Amino acid sequence: MSEQLDAGLIAEQIAESDQLGEPSGAHEVGRARRRKEDARLVTGRTTWTDNIQLPGMLYMAFLRSPMAHARITRVDTSAARARPGVVAVYSGRDLADEQGSLPCAWPVTEDIVIPDHPPMAVEEVRYAGEAVACVVATDRYKAADALEAIEVDYEPLDAVVDMTEALAEGSPLVHESGNRAFTWKFAGGDIDAAFRDAPVVIERTYVQQRLIPTAMEPRAVVATTDGDGFTLYSATQIPHVLRVMLALTTGIPEHKLRVVAPDVGGGFGSKLQVTAEEVLGLLVTRRLGKPVKWTESRSEGNLTVHHGRDQLQRISLAAERDGRVRGVRVDLLADMGAYLMLVTPGIPLLGAFMYNGIYKIDAYDFTCTGVFTTKMPTDAYRGAGRPEATFAIERAVDELAHELGLDPVEVRRRNWITHQEFPYDTICGLTYDSGNYEAATEKALALFGYDKLRAEQSDRRDRRDPVQLGIGVSTYTEMCGLAPSRVLGSLSYGAGGWEHASVRMLPTGKVEVVTGTSPHGQGHETAWSQIVADALGVPFGDVAVLHGDTAISHKGMDTYGSRSLVVGGVAVLAACEKVKDKARLIAAHMLEASADDIEFSAGSFTVRGTAEGRTIQELALATFAAHDLPDGVEPGLDADATFDPDNFSFPHGTHLCAVEVDTETGACAIRSYVAVDDVGSVVNPLIVEGQVHGGIAQGIGQALFEEAVHDTEGNLLTTTMADYLIPTAADLPDFTTDRTETPATSNPLGVKGVGEAGTIASTPAVVNAIVDALRPYGVHDVRMPCTPERIWRVVSEAGPPASGSAAAEAPAGASAGASAEAPAPTSGPGPMSTPGPASTPGPASTPGSGSGEATSSSEGGAR
Amino acid sequence: MIPAAFDYIRPASLEEACRVLAEADAAGDDVKVLAGGQSLLPLLRLRLAYPAALVDLGRLPEPRGVEDRGDHVFVGALTTHDEVLRSGVVREQVPLLALATATVADPAVRHRGTFGGSMVHADPAGDLPAVALALDCVFVVRSSEGEREIPASEFFVDYLESALGPGEVLLGVRVPKLGPGWGFHYEKFHRTAQAWAIVGVAAAVRRDGGTIGEARIALTNMGPTPVRARATEAALRGLSPAPVGGAGDGARDQVRDACGQADSGTSPPADLHAKPDYRRHLARVLTYRAVRAATG
Ligand SMILES: Cc1cc2nc3c(=O)[nH]c(=O)nc-3n(C[C@H](O)[C@H](O)[C@H](O)COP(=O)(O)OP(=O)(O)OC[C@H]3O[C@@H](n4cnc5c(N)ncnc54)[C@H](O)[C@@H]3O)c2cc1C
C-alpha cells in the first residue's frame, strides 16, 4: 500500500488543513431557515425525470381508450409499425404473458374482490384513458404521430358511472364478479342506545366529488437496462415501495432493480402508486434493450393519474338538546373506479377512525362499501380519507348547531375533548396523545374578529343585502404519521409503517444523512439538516441529505400521510443518538475517562468538570484513521436506525373562514381566512407555513373549484385546465396563520404531521361559511364544488330570504361562550358549563382488540 | 399535447405573407396564420386542427402598435394585449378596450397573445370581440388583392369563424372615439382569475343631461358570436340613471327592468361552467351592473 493511501496520513492532512469541520452550538430546530434545496430547484438546476437523456433513448406513447367500457375485438398495429422512426408497437395482447397485474397492497377484507388489472388492456377496457397500445419511436413526435395509425375495434359495453346505480339490481357490471368490491364495518359503543329516543337527530348526505390531483410536474418514467440489471427513474413518491412491487409484478429480481426518484415536483398522493406506465416502461426496455422514456401530457394526466375522493357520505348524528353528541353513524359508498390500485380500498378506512373528530361521543357505527365503476381508479389524494371524514363531521356539527339555534363554536366547545383529558381514548379506539383545542380556538377567534364579523353578518341579514356574509368553522384533528406497523397489520395493509435513516460522519467531520423518506417538495434536506445539526452539534451547512435512490437509500417507506418528519425525522434523530453513543465511547477512550463521565454539548465531548474534550469532528477523524480505537469498536462513526412509531400523530387546529356570497350571481369570495394549527413542536416554521398555505389552498380547491366531471357514457369532460379549475394565488385571499404548540408525546421531537392538515381543515370551513351565509334562504347544503351556478340555483330554488337575522337563528358571541339559548358570561376557552358525562364509555386501548366491535371482515380497529 | 407535423413559413414582410397565403389558397392547402399562438397552438397540440402549414407573422414589425388618428384609434393586429394595456392612447381615448383587455388571461398570455389574434379567432368567450361590437369598430383586412374594410357587425360570423377570407390577414382595427359624455365598463364573470368569461358585458353609455342618451351593450359568450343587447339598448334610451338613494329610486328600477331584457335574442351555450338559463340570468344581472358602472 502506498503512503498516499494510508488512512492515517490522510487523517493528518485533514487535521492540518482547514477542511475539518468545527462544532456548532447554534439551535437550528425551530429556526425559519430558508430551504437549502430551493436555490437549485428554482434556478432550473434540477433533474426532473423528463430531463434525463440517455444514449440511444427511445420514446413511448400510449394509445388510450376513447370509451369508458368496451370489449376490444381487434388491434392492428401494422400501419403504425411502418411509420418513420417507429421501433416497436405493442398491443395489450403482445404483452399479455409478461405484464402481470398492477398490485393492490391493501385487501381490506377477506372477501374483497381484487380484479386482475393488466397494465395494458387486453380484452376489455374499463375506463376512458386506459392504455390499449404503445408505440416506441426514436423521438416523441414520431411516437405521437404513429398512434394515429393504430386501428382498434371496440364493441361498446354499458358504462357504469354512478355508484348508487352501480349497486342497484340489474346494473351493468364492471367486472363479472359484480360491482361491490367490499363492505367494511367498524363500530364502538352502543349505537342503538345512542339513537334511541335521541332528542335531536341530524341526517345528511354529502357528496365528496371526484378530484384530479394536479402536481406541478406531470408523471414521467425512464427505464433502462445494462443487460443484467434495470434502473427505473420515475416521478414517484415511493421509490422503495415501488421497487418491491415492481419486482413482484415484472419478475425482475429485486436486487437487479434500482428505482430512482430524481427531483420530483409534487405528488399529493398521486405519485403514491405503481402505475401501468412504470411497469410497461420496464417491459419495453427489457424487450428492446434500450432506454425508454414516457412523459404524460396534462390531458393524459387528467385521464390517468389516479383520482381522489369520490365518496357518497350518509352521516347521522344523535344529540341531546344541549348539543352534546351521543353517537355518530356513517354509511359510505366509495367509488373505487375500475380497478383497485395500490391502496385504493384503504383510503376510506383512513377516514373511518376520524368521523368522531375532536369530540367525545358514546357510540359510533361505520360501514363502507367500495364500488366499482367504469372510471379511473381512485387512490390517495392529500389527506386520503381524513378530509372526507372531517368534512362530514364538521358540516354535520354545524347543522346540529343550526338546528339547536346554538353558535357553531359553542356546540363544538360542548363536545370537544378538553386539554386536561389528554391522552384521550376515542370511541374509534385511537389514543389522541396531546392537544389543546381550547387554546387554538381562542387564538383563532381573536385573530378572526369573530364577534365583529357576526355583527356584520346580522346587519347584512337585516338589510337583506344581496351580498351576504357567512362564517365557517372547522375544528379538526387528523391521524397521520403513517403508521404503527402493527396497526397497519391489524387493518390488513400489506406493509409496515416504519422509517429508516443512516447518519454517517465523514473523515472531515461533515455529515451525510441517508433517509428512507422521499421528498418531492417538502424540504426534507433542510429540516433533516436542522435536526442533525442540533443532535450532533455540527453546523447546518455541514449536513447533506441523500434520498430517493434505492442504490443510495437502500431501505425506506417513502413519503405520504404526513409521515416523513414524525417517522422519518425521528429515525434520523435516533441514528444521531447512536452516532453520539459510539462517539462517547471513543471520546472516553481517548480522554482516558469513563464513558459515564463524558458530557456532550454543542458538538463537543468533554470530561465532566474539565475543559478537556474532543469535538465530534475530531472523533470522526479519529475513527477514520482508526489507529487508536477501544477494543471491539469498529472503525467509522456511522449508525443506522429504524423507527416504528407506536401511535399516530394528531395535529389539530381551528380554521375560520368568512365568505361573501353574492346571492344575485352566486359568486362567492373568501374575505378572510384564519388558521391556527397545532402541529406540535416545529422544526422549521417557514416550511410549516408553506405546508399550511398550500394545504388550505388545496382544500379550498375542493370546496370551490375542482371536480372531475364525466358524462353519462363515462367520458371525462375535464381533461384540460380550462375545464378542471385549480385556484391560483390570484383567486385566494391572504391567509392569516398562527400556531399553538402542544408537543406530541409519542415521539422525542414532539412533532406532529403537517402535510395534510390544511387540506383537511379548509374544505369544511369554506362550505360551512357558504351555507352559513345562505341560512336566511333556508339553505342547508351546497354541493361541492360550490360553483356560482350551484349557489345561484340553490338560492333561486329556496326563494326569498326569511326576514332578518332572527330567522337564520344566527346567535352572536361565540368567543364570549354564549349561545342563543344559554348566554354565558365567561370568556375564553375553559370547560363548558354543561359538560357531558365525566368520562366516555371506556374504549379499550390495546391494538387489535379495540373498542372496535370488529366484524368478521375487519380485524379490529386501529389501536 | 404534440401537434401533428406542419410546415413553418416565416415571411419577411406583410406582402410576402399575403402572397404565400394566396398561393396556398390557390393550391387548396390549409394554411393558418400564426400570431401570438395562444389560441392556435392549443388547438394544434390537442390535435383539434391539422393545418398543412403555419405562416408566422410573429416577428413582423407591422402592423403593430397603437395610433391616434383623430376620430378613431387604430390598433395594429400584431399589438400584444400587454402593449394595448400600456398604451396611454388606449386608456384615454378608448378606455373600454383597456378595461376588457385587463381581464384577458394572465400576464404571460397577455405578453404573447395579440389583439388581432383575439379578433380573428372569433371565440365568443373572448373578451375583445364584444368590445369591437359595442364600439362599432371597423376591421381593416389585407390580401394580395388589396385592402378592404369589414364592420364589426359583420366580422364575427359564427363560433370560431370570422369574415376573413382564406387569403386575408387582419391589418388592424379602427376603434372609434366616442367623445365626451360617454362612460364605459366591462363586466366579466368568471370562476378563476385567468379563466374565460362565463358571461361578459361590454357597455358604453352616453349621458344626456339627466338621462341616458345612448347605450351600446355587447355580450360575451351568450351565443356563437358576440351579440348586441339591442332590446336593452332601446329600453335604456331616455331613462334616468340617477344613483341609488337619490330621488330616483324608481329610476333605478327602470334601469333594472331595461337590463332584464339583456338576454333577449341570445342563444347561450351550455357547458361545464353554466347552463343556458344561468347564463341568461347572468346576462341580465351583469348588464345592469355594467350599465350602472358606466353611468358612474
Ligand atoms: C391560458 C389562456 C387563457 C386565456 N384567457 C383569455 C381570456 O380570458 N379572454 C380572452 O379574450 N382571451 C383569452 N385567451 C386567448 C388570448 O387572448 C389569445 O391571445 C387570443 O385569443 C389569440 O391571440 P394570438 O395572437 O395568440 O393568436 P393565435 O393563437 O396566433 O391565432 C389565433 C387565430 O387567429 C388567426 N390570426 C391571428 N392573427 C391574425 C392576423 N393578423 N390575420 C389573420 N389571422 C390571424 C390565426 O390564424 C388563428 O386562427 C387565453 C389564452 C390562454 C392560453
Side-chain angles (χ1 to χ4, degrees):
Chain A
M1 189 199 270
S2 79
E3 278 203 330
Q4 280 82 349
L5 289 181
D6 180 81
L9 196 69
I10 296 169
E12 260 170 50
Q13 282 173 10
I14 291 172
E16 282 161 16
S17 75
D18 57 4
Q19 287 275 320
L20 187 64
E22 289 186 5
S24 164
H27 290 292
E28 289 292 342
V29 170
R31 271 187 72 179
R33 275 266 184 202
R34 296 249 173 122
R35 304 200 317 180
K36 56 161 74 171
E37 46 274 76
D38 282 355
R40 187 173 61 79
L41 290 171
V42 303
T43 54
R45 270 167 277 191
T46 34
T47 312
W48 309 116
T49 300
D50 190 48
N51 295 146
I52 295 169
Q53 283 305 124
L54 299 174
M57 189 138 141
L58 301 173
Y59 297 80
M60 295 194 294
F62 294 97
L63 185 69
R64 298 186 177 279
S65 168
M67 273 175 239
H69 199 192
R71 194 161 291 123
I72 301 170
T73 54
R74 188 180 71 104
V75 182
D76 184 349
T77 58
S78 52
R81 273 176 225 272
R83 288 287 184 109
V86 171
V87 175
V89 185
Y90 303 107
S91 67
R93 172 101 32 227
D94 295 330
L95 299 170
D97 293 340
E98 58 184 290
Q99 67 176 345
S101 179
L102 293 175
C104 172
W106 203 338
V108 295
T109 62
E110 263 165 32
D111 59 357
I112 187 173
V113 177
I114 302 184
D116 196 42
H117 186 184
M120 195 184 288
V122 181
E123 284 168 353
E124 198 169 317
V125 288
R126 294 188 177 85
Y127 64 90
E130 194 167 353
V132 292
C134 159
V135 171
V136 188
T138 51
D139 69 44
R140 59 177 61 168
Y141 299 89
K142 292 183 177 119
D145 287 344
L147 289 182
E148 298 194 340
I150 301 174
E151 287 175 29
V152 184
D153 290 346
Y154 298 97
E155 189 183 302
L157 298 170
D158 289 326
V160 181
V161 182
D162 180 87
M163 279 190 279
T164 315
E165 287 168 20
L167 293 179
E169 193 86 7
S171 164
L173 298 180
V174 182
H175 299 280
E176 269 171 29
S177 49
N179 294 339
R180 186 186 302 265
F182 65 87
T183 295
W184 189 88
K185 290 172 184 286
F186 177 76
D190 186 344
I191 196 72
D192 293 332
F195 275 82
R196 196 176 307 128
D197 309 324
V200 188
V201 174
I202 301 285
E203 285 183 350
R204 293 288 184 272
T205 300
Y206 295 122
V207 179
Q208 291 285 330
Q209 80 271 33
R210 185 175 269 252
L211 301 179
I212 302 178
T214 310
M216 193 96 80
E217 182 209 15
R219 288 178 304 152
V221 170
V222 169
T224 183
T225 179
D226 60 7
D228 178 35
F230 292 82
T231 302
L232 182 84
Y233 302 86
S234 181
T236 180
Q237 297 173 225
I238 53 159
H240 298 93
V241 174
L242 192 57
R243 182 195 197 192
V244 184
M245 300 315 292
L246 285 173
L248 295 173
T249 308
T250 63
I252 296 169
E254 193 181 352
H255 66 299
K256 298 289 186 187
L257 177 59
R258 172 182 165 205
V259 175
V260 184
D263 288 319
V264 177
F268 311 110
S270 72
K271 294 171 182 171
L272 195 193
Q273 194 53 272
V274 179
T275 66
E277 294 83 0
E278 287 162 337
V279 171
L280 295 169
L282 280 173
L283 300 191
V284 170
T285 208
R286 181 162 70 185
R287 283 216 177 184
L288 300 176
K290 296 240 185 174
V292 295
K293 184 197 279 189
W294 169 77
T295 304
E296 75 184 355
S297 71
R298 190 58 76 180
S299 296
E300 199 175 17
N302 277 20
L303 283 166
T304 62
V305 159
H306 72 238
H307 292 171
R309 315 279 190 263
D310 209 347
Q311 296 180 359
L312 189 67
Q313 309 171 292
R314 266 181 301 232
I315 182 167
S316 314
L317 237 66
E320 309 289 353
R321 276 258 137 230
D322 66 2
R324 267 274 306 146
V325 179
R326 290 174 166 195
V328 173
R329 187 160 28 213
V330 176
D331 191 356
L332 208 69
L333 296 185
D335 193 332
M336 304 284 100
Y339 303 98
L340 303 183
M341 295 194 72
L342 191 60
V343 292
T344 301
I347 301 306
L349 270 64
L350 289 172
F353 306 97
M354 283 285 111
Y355 279 88
N356 55 318
I358 62 167
Y359 311 114
K360 295 176 284 196
I361 61 172
D362 307 335
Y364 178 58
D365 187 80
F366 177 89
T367 304
C368 168
T369 298
V371 186
F372 290 117
T373 58
T374 53
K375 288 181 282 185
M376 180 67 206
T378 55
D379 208 316
Y381 178 53
R382 203 170 188 172
R386 291 149 289 152
E388 296 93 313
T390 303
F391 180 87
I393 184 67
E394 288 303 292
R395 283 285 298 112
V397 165
D398 257 36
E399 293 300 304
L400 176 64
H402 176 71
E403 178 75 24
L404 295 173
L406 291 171
D407 185 282
V409 177
E410 180 57 25
V411 169
R412 286 170 169 81
R413 197 174 271 147
R414 291 182 186 185
N415 283 288
W416 70 35
I417 301 156
T418 64
H419 70 278
Q420 302 95 332
E421 293 171 293
F422 289 94
Y424 182 86
D425 294 332
T426 75
I427 190 69
C428 294
L430 295 170
T431 303
Y432 292 177
D433 63 326
S434 73
N436 190 333
Y437 307 143
E438 303 96 310
T441 303
E442 186 182 27
K443 203 168 196 175
L445 290 171
L447 286 168
F448 191 63
Y450 188 84
D451 292 344
K452 210 160 154 237
L453 284 165
R454 281 282 181 219
E456 181 183 334
Q457 175 182 55
S458 108
D459 176 55
R460 287 193 190 217
R461 285 178 177 178
D462 288 341
R463 284 192 288 115
R464 303 217 184 164
D465 191 329
V467 179
Q468 287 287 319
L469 182 68
I471 293 168
V473 184
S474 169
T475 50
Y476 76 98
T477 187
E478 61 123 344
M479 55 187 267
C480 62
L482 305 180
S485 297
R486 57 192 173 149
V487 176
L488 291 179
S490 76
L491 293 172
S492 318
Y493 180 61
W498 47 264
E499 195 47 84
H500 173 261
S502 309
V503 171
R504 36 195 202 226
M505 297 293 305
L506 304 179
T508 58
K510 307 293 194 282
V511 189
E512 266 176 0
V513 178
V514 179
T515 177
T517 64
S518 196
H520 42 282
Q522 291 85 350
H524 296 178
E525 291 174 31
T526 302
W528 285 200
S529 296
Q530 289 178 276
I531 293 169
V532 170
D534 278 10
L536 299 181
V538 299
F540 172 78
D542 283 3
V543 186
V545 179
L546 311 177
H547 57 80
D549 180 343
T550 59
I552 292 169
S553 163
H554 67 288
K555 127 181 176 187
M557 281 294 179
D558 308 314
T559 287
Y560 44 84
S562 303
R563 69 185 306 274
S564 293
L565 176 61
V566 297
V567 189
V570 172
V572 169
L573 181 67
C576 288
E577 293 303 328
K578 289 187 184 176
V579 164
K580 269 186 343 204
D581 288 346
K582 182 170 181 187
R584 186 187 306 273
L585 285 182
I586 296 159
H589 175 76
M590 291 174 77
L591 296 165
E592 296 177 348
S594 145
D596 294 341
D597 288 336
I598 302 290
E599 286 179 330
F600 176 78
S601 168
S604 290
F605 293 85
T606 47
V607 181
R608 195 187 313 275
T610 75
E612 244 208 299
R614 292 284 186 281
T615 67
I616 191 160
Q617 291 87 357
E618 289 167 342
L619 294 169
L621 186 57
T623 63
F624 168 67
H627 292 174
D628 180 22
L629 295 179
D631 290 345
V633 170
E634 291 176 15
L637 198 44
D638 310 334
D640 276 27
T642 302
F643 177 67
D644 195 346
D646 53 28
N647 195 359
F648 293 93
S649 156
F650 299 98
H652 71 82
T654 297
H655 287 214
L656 299 171
C657 175
V659 171
E660 287 183 357
V661 181
D662 181 340
T663 57
E664 286 181 350
T665 61
C668 62
I670 298 177
R671 190 164 98 183
S672 62
Y673 195 102
V674 169
V676 176
D677 294 290
D678 193 322
V679 296
S681 304
V682 167
V683 173
N684 184 323
L686 210 54
I687 292 179
V688 165
E689 189 102 334
Q691 289 290 329
V692 169
H693 275 242
I696 293 171
Q698 221 153 340
I700 292 174
Q702 175 170 16
L704 297 181
F705 300 107
E706 300 181 37
E707 180 170 29
V709 183
H710 293 81
D711 67 14
T712 50
E713 323 278 52
N715 298 303
L716 182 70
L717 302 178
T718 48
T719 54
T720 74
M721 293 185 90
D723 306 312
Y724 189 86
L725 297 186
I726 306 262
T728 65
D731 305 301
L732 297 165
D734 282 339
F735 302 135
T736 303
T737 58
D738 206 338
R739 288 194 309 276
T740 55
E741 289 193 20
T742 313
T745 61
S746 51
N747 67 66
L749 286 168
V751 293
K752 307 175 183 176
V754 67
E756 295 155 300
T759 307
I760 291 167
S762 65
T763 311
V766 174
V767 178
N768 276 340
I770 292 169
V771 174
D772 185 54
L774 300 177
R775 291 285 185 202
Y777 296 80
V779 169
H780 294 291
D781 195 26
V782 180
R783 238 191 88 171
M784 294 190 292
C786 303
T787 63
E789 182 171 19
R790 279 200 180 125
I791 291 174
W792 173 72
R793 287 193 193 284
V794 163
V795 171
S796 330
E797 278 155 25
S803 64
S805 55
E809 295 167 62
S815 60
S819 79
E821 287 193 339
T826 49
S827 70
M832 253 290 310
S833 53
T834 51
S839 68
T840 48
S845 55
T846 39
S849 66
S851 63
E853 186 191 278
T855 64
S856 59
S857 54
S858 72
E859 299 275 85
R863 236 180 102 83
Chain B
M1 293 298 269
I2 292 178
F6 53 82
D7 286 336
Y8 175 81
I9 303 159
R10 190 196 291 158
S13 67
L14 206 57
E15 290 66 37
E16 189 188 336
C18 289
R19 202 176 59 239
V20 169
L21 288 172
E23 285 166 11
D25 187 32
D29 289 343
D30 178 20
V31 173
K32 276 265 174 203
V33 166
L34 177 70
Q38 300 303 293
S39 293
L40 185 53
L41 293 189
L43 291 180
L44 300 191
R45 289 162 78 82
L46 291 166
R47 297 201 173 208
L48 296 172
Y50 291 80
L54 295 187
V55 178
D56 186 359
L57 308 186
R59 298 202 195 166
L60 291 185
E62 51 157 23
R64 194 184 290 277
V66 174
E67 215 179 291
D68 191 335
R69 293 187 180 169
D71 65 340
H72 70 270
V73 171
F74 185 81
V75 184
L78 293 176
T79 315
T80 65
H81 299 308
D82 185 65
E83 286 160 355
V84 167
L85 278 179
R86 283 169 199 279
S87 158
V89 170
V90 168
R91 275 200 307 273
E92 277 148 37
Q93 304 298 335
V94 286
L96 185 57
L97 178 57
L99 292 170
T101 303
T103 72
V104 170
D106 51 47
V109 171
R110 290 198 295 263
H111 272 79
R112 282 195 171 271
T114 64
F115 171 81
S118 281
M119 297 297 184
V120 180
H121 192 56
D123 187 336
D127 297 297
L128 305 185
V131 171
L133 198 65
L135 298 181
D136 287 328
C137 292
V138 176
F139 289 72
V140 184
V141 162
R142 155 111 43 107
S143 70
S144 53
E145 314 273 275
E147 271 183 35
R148 68 173 176 126
E149 294 177 4
I150 308 171
S153 58
E154 291 168 20
F155 189 78
F156 304 103
V157 176
D158 204 345
Y159 179 74
L160 301 189
E161 189 185 334
S162 77
L164 227 58
E168 290 180 320
V169 295
L170 179 66
L171 273 188
V173 176
R174 288 195 206 129
V175 188
K177 300 181 189 174
L178 292 184
W182 286 88
F184 304 95
H185 189 72
Y186 186 69
E187 182 78 22
K188 176 170 180 172
F189 192 83
H190 51 162
R191 285 182 58 197
T192 59
Q194 58 189 7
W196 298 83
I198 293 175
V199 173
V201 181
V205 183
R206 181 169 53 80
R207 294 180 69 151
D208 238 357
T211 57
I212 292 175
E214 187 183 353
R216 298 183 184 185
I217 296 160
L219 306 175
T220 298
N221 217 4
M222 286 296 288
T225 64
V227 278
R228 286 284 281 266
R230 297 280 182 199
T232 294
E233 290 180 358
L236 283 170
R237 194 165 302 132
L239 292 188
S240 160
V244 192
D249 239 20
R252 179 196 155 160
D253 284 339
Q254 281 182 312
V255 172
R256 201 185 268 281
D257 287 348
C259 294
Q261 306 172 49
D263 62 310
S264 78
T266 63
S267 45
D271 59 28
L272 283 176
H273 304 304
K275 294 196 182 65
D277 61 332
Y278 178 52
R279 279 207 161 86
R280 286 180 181 279
H281 169 79
L282 283 177
R284 298 190 290 261
V285 173
L286 301 177
T287 298
Y288 175 69
R289 290 182 183 183
V291 169
R292 302 263 349 148
T295 49

